[in-house]
Amino acid sequence: MKIGVYPGTFDPITNGHIDIIKRAYQLFDKLYIVVPNNIGKNALFTTEERIKLIKAVLIDYPDIEIASTDKLTVEFAKSVNATAMIRGLRMVSDFDYELQLATINKQLDSSIETVFIMSSHEYSFLSSSSVKEIAKFKRDVSLFVPDVVNEALKEKYK
Ligand code: ADP
């Protein structure tokens, strides 16, 4: 059984993330989405809120596990017997950071591969931060996020 883990901040989950999740779902027998608790980033949504939004968005995929973790993501992956961590690649600008992360993770645990899925062209310029920036100015982001996330953003910035 091939188990994959897609780690990310998901602050909040966007249509770009969802595209990667649906494509990864085809590649693995079991998929975990994991939100690290120890993230140094200043998140708009709490970990619980982000998990709740991911769960709401993936309601039709009850077999996808959604969790938070206090562990390093590579340790989380090991603990659920995953063989791969999934990351999305948008533009060249993602490459440096993702290569660094994948190399470090490989050193931490050589049994876990990082698998990159290239962003679909319509989402290649989409990021959680740009969505937040637009929503902050009360502009519509319904093209970029599911309704439930759109509503949550409106609530945050009202
Ligand atoms: P992190 O802080 O771990 O980078 P993010 O939620 O920003 O968390 O992203 C998680 C993963 O999803 C990263 O690999 C990122 O490159 C990828 N990703 C984010 N947005 C998109 C998108 N629009 N298309 C494809 N991959 C994406």
Side-chain angles (χ1 to χ4, degrees), residues 39-111:
I39 214 83
K41 291 185 178 181
N42 270 336
L44 174 66
F45 293 95
T46 65
T47 307
E48 292 70 31
E49 288 171 333
R50 284 178 272 149
I51 300 255
K52 209 171 147 193
L53 288 175
I54 301 170
K55 284 188 174 160
V57 167
L58 297 177
I59 191 98
D60 294 333
Y61 294 80
D63 51 336
I64 298 181
E65 299 283 342
I66 301 145
S68 64
T69 183
D70 291 320
K71 298 181 183 152
L72 282 171
T73 52
V74 72
E75 287 170 356
F76 175 87
K78 187 79 176 175
S79 73
V80 296
N81 298 318
T83 47
M85 294 208 289
I86 298 121
R87 297 286 291 175
L89 272 184
R90 285 160 293 186
M91 294 146 286
V92 200
S93 51
D94 276 343
F95 184 83
D96 275 358
Y97 174 68
E98 293 293 344
L99 176 65
Q100 194 183 8
L101 204 62
T103 309
I104 291 172
N105 283 332
K106 190 77 183 170
Q107 276 172 344
L108 290 171
D109 191 331
S110 62
S111 70

Side-chain angles (χ1 to χ4, degrees), residues 6-17 19-20 23 36 39 41 86-90 94 97-98 101 116-120 122-129:
Y6 181 26
T9 309
F10 303 108
D11 185 42
I13 187 167
T14 69
N15 291 344
H17 292 125
D19 175 55
I20 299 294
R23 290 160 65 198
I39 214 83
K41 291 185 178 181
I86 298 121
R87 297 286 291 175
L89 272 184
R90 285 160 293 186
D94 276 343
Y97 174 68
E98 293 293 344
L101 204 62
F116 292 104
I117 298 183
M118 308 303 284
S119 173
S120 298
E122 61 266 48
Y123 304 124
S124 62
F125 290 92
L126 180 54
S127 66
S128 299
S129 25

Side-chain angles (χ1 to χ4, degrees), residues 45 135 138-141 149-158:
F45 293 95
K138 303 202 175 359
R139 296 293 299 264
D140 183 47
V141 289
V149 177
N150 194 3
E151 291 309 315
L153 280 163
K154 282 185 191 158
E155 189 61 27
K156 280 279 174 197
Y157 289 122
K158 81 174 181 210

